Amino acid sequence: RTTLLPDRSLQILMPSESDLGFYSCVATNAFGSDSLSSPITLAGKPVIKAAGTDLISLTSGSLTVDVGSTLKAILGSSITIRCQAAGVPKAEISWFKDHVMLLGVHSALQDGSLLISNASLSDQGLYSCQAANLHGRATESTQLLMLDPPQADPELVDLTNILSAAGAGIHSVLTSVVGNTVLLNSGNTVLIACPVKGHPLPNITWFYNEQLISRVLEFKYRTLVGNQIIQIPNIGKDLQGEFSCLSQNEAGSLKQKTTLVILDYQWSMDGMLPCSVSCGNKGLQYPRLRCLLDNMEVDVAQCKERPKPTIQPAPCNRKDCPARFKFTLRQLISCTGMSNILEVFCSPVDKRGNSLPLSLYFTMDSVPEPVSTQHKNRALCIGWKASNYAMCNGQCIGPRMATQHREVFCQARNGTMVPSAQCSSLARPASAQNCSTDSCHTHWRIGYWTQCTATCGNYGFQSRRVECVHSHSRKALREQFCSWRPRPANWQRCNIVPCENKECRDTTRYCEKVKQLKLCQLSQFKVRCCESCRDV
């Protein structure tokens, strides 16, 4: 029934519904080719020309495609999706995004095409063109996926939070596109981060001196945060060099790097310090410690993280000391006052530190009491007093652990209560302490999730029972007994996936109620209860 006529035109005899569609004429010679398409249709349901292949565009500019394919484009692109429809009478074109009609969100062109200017991540989704006339409707869809090439971003919140929380002795290093040099002490633990963003999230590969790090370092490192950070403990001069990360996704790649220089600080014992005393039996002489970097002396603070060598002092100046006066002031302190006794004696001291027989000794009583000590004497007459601890029945703070309390008050020695301010200069005993009790041997008991209220869409949820129980008796308790650990969630969203419109069916068990309450006119209920609302 199909014939190519001498004038190169195409003849179709007795056309049927199977002949409907778009026919393309292609002319070719030595200088190139050209083509033109023409639709053949019958009065009836519209026909939409659909693209045959998927497309990836890695340049941000103007892009035009036919509906019916998967399109991947760079952020910032200007995208036109054509919807060429044939039908008698002429079909009316409508556009949908993720099954929701577009009303003024994007620009619809006169030929029925859809224009998305300066596309962003929020424009990503399923775009559907619907052509409709009196005889029916046809739909073709294009899945739009946005691409963002890898870009350096040293301000990434998740990454900077982890690096700032690193403990003492752990150093954080950020790679960069131009590269940088970081000085580290030998023996430190280092975190090297690759601050990069992009869409989809780039895959990261690490290198050490241009070689795959997994082949060079083997088990000397580990990766964190989806391979964005590598951790190297106890780094030494053998790991001095360039570390780089290669980030890749469908839109491109980015390489960032940093160079580590390892400083090896060491303690050295050189010479001896002066003797601690000039005579007697207590003289000790210690070696002099120095901090060296490549045999050059530096500030001793640079060696504070290096273990100090064992120091053995040597005895010195162990000869007898000459005779000398010694003065000793003894204080006899009571609640009512203080008596001072001054002892003065002259005697030689042997090399063991012992005093030889006294040649002069006398005491002096009633030395005036310093004014600064008078208020301290009064403090000896008062003090903190604490009662016994109460039963261990306070708030649970852990497994089998609660708190117990007691009263603490300021009291004179005669048993009289006095204001607490008079004891403020004294150490106050604790008024609470942790204690062990079986009543805090509890845990959260979690039930099974109920069936989801929907199979798709944005409104499905499910719940479960969560209660505090005793670990041995299994009896339910008030939730305050389990408050020492977080309470698990008792409901959650579920089946949050788009509902396919190609098959008209109910996606929730409440559709009979929706129909009875006359809610089918609302789009969100009409989509989820398609079958029940079909005749409404």
Side-chain angles (χ1 to χ4, degrees):
R1 297 183 296 103
T2 303
T3 306
L4 185 64
L5 300 180
D7 63 352
R8 302 299 179 89
S9 60
L10 184 67
Q11 182 185 64
I12 302 175
L13 300 177
M14 296 181 294
S16 64
E17 188 174 353
S18 63
D19 296 314
L20 301 183
F22 284 82
Y23 288 78
S24 298
C25 168
V26 181
T28 305
N29 64 12
F31 298 98
S33 63
D34 196 7
S35 65
L36 191 64
S37 298
S38 179
I40 293 182
T41 184
L42 298 175
K45 183 178 178 180
V47 178
I48 299 176
K49 181 183 179 183
T53 58
D54 297 337
L55 178 63
I56 299 179
S57 175
L58 298 181
T59 57
S60 58
S62 297
L63 183 64
T64 302
V65 296
D66 286 322
V67 70
S69 62
T70 297
L71 172 62
K72 297 181 180 181
I74 294 292
L75 292 178
S77 300
S78 182
I79 303 168
T80 301
I81 306 177
R82 294 182 303 199
C83 183
Q84 303 181 59
V88 178
K90 184 179 180 181
E92 181 180 350
I93 304 299
S94 300
W95 282 96
F96 298 80
K97 180 186 177 185
D98 296 328
H99 309 292
V100 178
M101 181 176 287
L102 296 176
L103 298 174
V105 180
H106 299 82
S107 301
L109 305 180
Q110 292 182 352
D111 61 354
S113 301
L114 182 69
L115 174 61
I116 305 174
S117 301
N118 192 23
S120 63
L121 282 178
S122 62
D123 294 315
Q124 187 171 259
L126 180 69
Y127 290 86
S128 302
C129 167
Q130 184 184 90
N133 62 14
L134 295 176
H135 300 285
R137 64 186 63 189
T139 302
E140 291 289 346
S141 299
T142 287
Q143 184 73 42
L144 176 61
L145 302 175
M146 302 309 303
L147 301 178
D148 188 17
Q151 303 174 51
D153 186 5
E155 303 299 326
L156 281 176
V157 176
D158 292 343
L159 209 59
T160 54
N161 286 344
I162 293 176
L163 296 182
S164 62
I170 300 180
H171 296 265
S172 303
V173 179
L174 287 178
T175 59
S176 66
V177 176
V178 297
N180 52 49
T181 301
V182 179
L183 304 180
L184 296 174
N185 292 341
S186 177
N188 288 156
T189 294
V190 61
L191 297 176
I192 307 177
C194 186
V196 65
K197 65 179 181 179
H199 187 81
L201 191 65
N203 292 321
I204 298 176
T205 306
W206 286 93
F207 297 86
Y208 171 65
N209 290 339
E210 302 297 333
Q211 299 183 60
L212 277 174
I213 193 171
S214 57
R215 297 180 180 176
V216 180
L217 301 191
E218 296 181 347
F219 303 107
K220 295 182 180 180
Y221 76 103
R222 67 175 181 143
T223 60
L224 307 170
V225 195
N227 214 33
Q228 280 193 287
I229 299 177
I230 58 172
Q231 181 184 41
I232 307 174
N234 194 27
I235 193 166
K237 278 187 171 292
D238 58 323
L239 293 182
Q240 182 170 267
E242 181 185 272
F243 289 82
S244 58
C245 60
L246 178 64
S247 307
Q248 298 173 299
N249 64 11
E250 292 182 80
S253 62
L254 178 71
K255 186 176 183 180
Q256 301 180 81
K257 58 187 178 180
T258 186
T259 299
L260 301 186
V261 176
I262 311 303
L263 304 177
D264 195 6
Y265 293 97
Q266 293 181 337
W267 288 105
S268 173
M269 290 189 294
D270 183 18
M272 302 294 286
L273 295 174
C275 188
S276 59
V277 296
S278 59
C279 63
N281 191 45
K282 300 180 180 179
L284 293 175
Q285 193 172 24
Y286 290 85
R288 178 173 177 266
L289 278 180
R290 297 193 305 159
C291 181
L292 302 181
L293 175 62
D294 295 332
N295 294 324
M296 295 291 293
E297 185 172 5
V298 295
D299 188 352
V300 292
Q302 302 293 335
C303 286
K304 65 180 181 180
E305 296 182 3
R306 308 296 294 171
K308 283 189 176 181
T310 303
I311 297 177
Q312 294 293 339
C316 58
N317 294 341
R318 294 302 175 98
K319 60 186 179 181
D320 291 347
C321 294
R324 63 184 184 274
F325 281 104
K326 276 192 175 183
F327 299 87
T328 302
L329 178 63
R330 291 193 294 117
Q331 296 180 338
L332 301 179
I333 304 174
S334 67
C335 202
T336 57
M338 178 178 69
S339 299
N340 295 329
I341 298 177
L342 179 65
E343 297 178 341
V344 182
F345 63 90
C346 175
S347 69
V349 180
D350 66 14
K351 62 181 180 181
R352 296 186 179 278
N354 299 321
S355 296
L356 299 179
L358 299 178
S359 58
L360 175 66
Y361 176 84
F362 64 90
T363 64
M364 183 182 301
D365 294 331
S366 65
V367 178
E369 176 188 355
V371 176
S372 61
T373 65
Q374 292 176 3
H375 72 282
K376 295 182 180 179
N377 298 336
R378 291 193 299 270
L380 294 175
C381 301
I382 60 174
W384 292 106
K385 185 71 175 178
S387 65
N388 295 330
Y389 276 105
M391 294 180 63
C392 185
N393 56 2
Q395 182 179 0
C396 296
I397 60 174
R400 294 194 181 96
M401 185 174 293
T403 56
Q404 57 186 168
H405 302 268
R406 65 178 179 179
E407 292 187 15
V408 178
F409 46 88
C410 187
Q411 177 180 290
R413 287 193 177 181
N414 60 5
T416 305
M417 298 279 291
V418 296
S420 298
Q422 296 190 24
C423 293
S424 59
S425 62
L426 305 175
R428 190 179 191 275
S431 60
Q433 68 178 9
N434 296 342
C435 56
S436 178
T437 174
D438 188 63
S439 62
C440 291
H441 191 32
T442 61
H443 68 275
W444 292 106
R445 183 164 61 193
I446 303 171
Y448 294 103
W449 289 110
T450 61
Q451 184 179 355
C452 189
T453 59
T455 57
C456 62
N458 297 317
Y459 305 98
F461 70 91
Q462 56 187 168
S463 61
R464 64 181 179 181
R465 185 173 183 179
V466 177
E467 58 182 346
C468 178
V469 297
H470 194 274
S471 298
H472 289 161
S473 66
R474 308 297 182 184
K475 290 184 179 180
L477 304 172
R478 293 193 302 274
E479 292 194 354
Q480 69 181 47
F481 287 97
C482 293
S483 60
W484 55 274
R485 60 173 57 175
R487 187 181 192 275
N490 63 348
W491 79 280
Q492 67 179 7
R493 302 284 297 276
C494 56
N495 294 340
I496 309 301
V497 295
C499 297
E500 295 289 343
N501 279 348
K502 293 183 179 180
E503 180 184 353
C504 183
R505 59 189 180 88
D506 292 343
T507 60
T508 177
R509 57 187 178 184
Y510 301 117
C511 288
E512 186 62 33
K513 289 292 184 183
V514 170
K515 185 174 181 180
Q516 292 175 4
L517 297 174
K518 298 181 179 181
L519 299 176
C520 288
Q521 300 301 327
L522 301 178
S523 60
Q524 64 267 36
F525 292 107
K526 188 174 182 179
V527 170
R528 299 176 62 204
C529 298
C530 178
E531 183 176 357
S532 296
C533 294
R534 176 182 298 171
D535 300 328
V536 177

